[in-house]
Amino acid sequence: MSTAHAGGEPVDARVLVVMGVSGSGKSTVAAMVAEQLGWAFAEGDAMHPAANVDKMHAGTPLTDEDRWPWLDVVAGWIRGHLQAGTNGVVTCSALKRSYRDVLRASGVVFVHVAGDRALLEKRMSARSGHFMPTSLLQSQLATLEPPQPDEAHVTVAADRTPAEEAAEVLALLGLPRD
């Protein structure tokens, strides 16, 4: 469908995993990209078990053991789309390479929405109704392992409007805009 590069090799983009720390704007950008492409969209946060949401809401960082079952659910959504031959966009923080390894498959491209701490704090402080408190941002930044050249990914800066960021994703991946 489109190409991105991993270690200089072109890869097919059929499912995009829009990743990054909380407050990066990944959900907004992902929804815009999915809408512009006419692809299915899923919010990875909605796939968290209630215990994870409760833990984060209380200001307690998730452990790897908390994340594995959630990552399996997100990976199942991805596999379902790949097996059905349908395109999709899903959000998932995918902070560590080991987490991305659970999600990785032929046809999956990671879209890292990256921002600096001050911008992320400002965004998190301004939103309401989200379970992730600003107090957990530091733990997410400490956990983040940005995608490496051998991983199928593109990175966009989270310092513009969501529309500009979504347009950059489409351009970087060579995806047609409506």
Side-chain angles (χ1 to χ4, degrees), residues 61-78:
L62 296 180
T63 65
D64 285 351
E65 292 70 31
D66 295 324
R67 287 188 179 99
W68 296 127
W70 168 64
L71 290 165
D72 286 340
V73 172
V74 176
W77 187 92
I78 292 167

Side-chain angles (χ1 to χ4, degrees), residues 33-163:
V33 167
E35 182 178 348
Q36 290 180 27
L37 293 172
W39 290 11
F41 171 72
E43 173 57 64
D45 281 346
M47 298 179 196
H48 269 294
N52 284 7
V53 174
D54 292 345
K55 195 171 183 179
M56 289 182 283
H57 188 72
T60 305
L62 296 180
T63 65
D64 285 351
E65 292 70 31
D66 295 324
R67 287 188 179 99
W68 296 127
W70 168 64
L71 290 165
D72 286 340
V73 172
V74 176
W77 187 92
I78 292 167
R79 278 191 310 275
H81 281 274
L82 292 172
Q83 290 168 357
T86 57
N87 298 317
V89 180
V90 62
T91 61
C92 178
S93 54
L95 298 175
K96 290 183 179 181
R97 183 182 184 113
S98 61
Y99 303 164
R100 294 188 297 276
D101 288 345
V102 172
L103 308 175
R104 192 179 330 279
S106 178
V108 174
V109 175
F110 294 92
V111 176
H112 182 202
V113 183
D116 68 33
R117 182 184 175 125
L119 173 68
L120 300 169
E121 284 178 340
K122 180 179 175 184
R123 286 182 174 180
M124 289 178 77
S125 299
R127 67 184 180 186
S128 62
H130 197 279
F131 61 80
M132 177 68 88
T134 306
S135 62
L136 289 181
L137 178 59
Q138 182 53 43
S139 71
Q140 285 209 325
L141 290 170
T143 302
L144 178 64
E145 298 170 0
Q148 298 302 300
D150 66 325
E151 295 181 83
H153 81 282
V154 296
T155 299
V156 296
D159 59 357
R160 293 156 294 147
T161 68

